[in-house]
Amino acid sequence: GAGVSQSPRYKVAKRGQDVALRCDPISGHVSLFWYQQALGQGPEFLTYFQNEAQLDKSGLPSDRFFAERPEGSVSTLKIQRTQQEDSAVYLCASSVGSGSHNGYTFGSGTRLTVV
Amino acid sequence: SQQGEEDPQALSIQEGENATMNCSYKTSINNLQWYRQNSGRGLVHLILIRSNEREKHSGRLRVTLDTSKKSSSLLITASRAADTASYFCATDDMEYGNKLVFGAGTILRVKS
């Protein structure tokens, strides 16, 4: 597609509920990134895929967070047993190459509110 | 944890004035990028400057990079109300590999 698409745009979850957030990157983009952005803060890195391989998951805050990109295109970020501190905007970005020298294209994000 | 720090945290100017935002970072970098984020939206890539460049222009944007001071500045000339947004610097640095590390951002408000 023309841009990075994320769904849903908004998600309200009850504490303890599992959620799944979807990212459709630009077709053919090798790299895919997930970021978490708390209110009033800059994006914080969560995880990075190069094609289907998850090369860096150092930013995932706990083992409740899991990401996958099984066919090297669409990616899903799953959060199990959501907590209030998980409330944030989750941003997905893709890049044509393996580095950042072409910049990232971001989606509009999913705003997760845990109540 | 975030690599860069922007200052000021917030900036309010009149339409037509210039806006300058600064960014400092901590480690060696391959490149530094600036992004804009409108409220409730994703980030939009504005400009990239490589570590061996000192200045770069794109339309009304001018970016400088001083690797000896580990700092960068973004200048927006002849600002417009539509420039109202948050601006973030991000570094792709040698320590962190492929991922970009973002600062906390500067909130710019341009009054018409």
Side-chain angles (χ1 to χ4, degrees), chain A residues 33-36 44-49 54-68 75-79 86 90-91, chain B residues 1 99:
Chain A
F33 303 83
W34 283 99
Y35 282 80
Q36 180 190 61
E44 293 267 4
F45 171 79
L46 292 177
T47 187
Y48 160 59
F49 290 86
Q54 189 175 21
L55 299 186
D56 188 342
K57 54 181 180 179
S58 62
L60 296 177
S62 76
D63 59 7
R64 297 186 294 104
F65 287 70
F66 172 78
E68 59 183 5
S75 177
T76 304
L77 176 67
K78 298 179 179 177
I79 309 173
D86 300 334
Y90 291 85
L91 295 165
Chain B
S1 59
K99 62 185 181 239

Side-chain angles (χ1 to χ4, degrees), chain A residues 6-71:
Chain A
Q6 292 188 246
S7 61
R9 282 282 282 129
Y10 304 93
K11 176 69 178 177
V12 178
K14 291 184 177 178
R15 193 172 56 176
Q17 186 179 354
D18 297 349
V19 298
L21 312 180
R22 178 187 169 104
C23 173
D24 277 272
I26 293 174
S27 179
H29 274 199
V30 167
S31 297
L32 185 146
F33 303 83
W34 283 99
Y35 282 80
Q36 180 190 61
Q37 187 176 24
L39 189 65
Q41 299 295 315
E44 293 267 4
F45 171 79
L46 292 177
T47 187
Y48 160 59
F49 290 86
Q50 185 173 318
N51 296 308
E52 69 277 4
Q54 189 175 21
L55 299 186
D56 188 342
K57 54 181 180 179
S58 62
L60 296 177
S62 76
D63 59 7
R64 297 186 294 104
F65 287 70
F66 172 78
E68 59 183 5
R69 193 187 186 197
E71 297 177 359

Side-chain angles (χ1 to χ4, degrees), chain B residues 86-102:
Chain B
S86 293
Y87 292 81
F88 296 91
C89 69
T91 51
D92 169 13
D93 65 62
M94 301 173 185
E95 178 179 348
Y96 293 106
N98 291 322
K99 62 185 181 239
L100 287 179
V101 182
F102 287 83

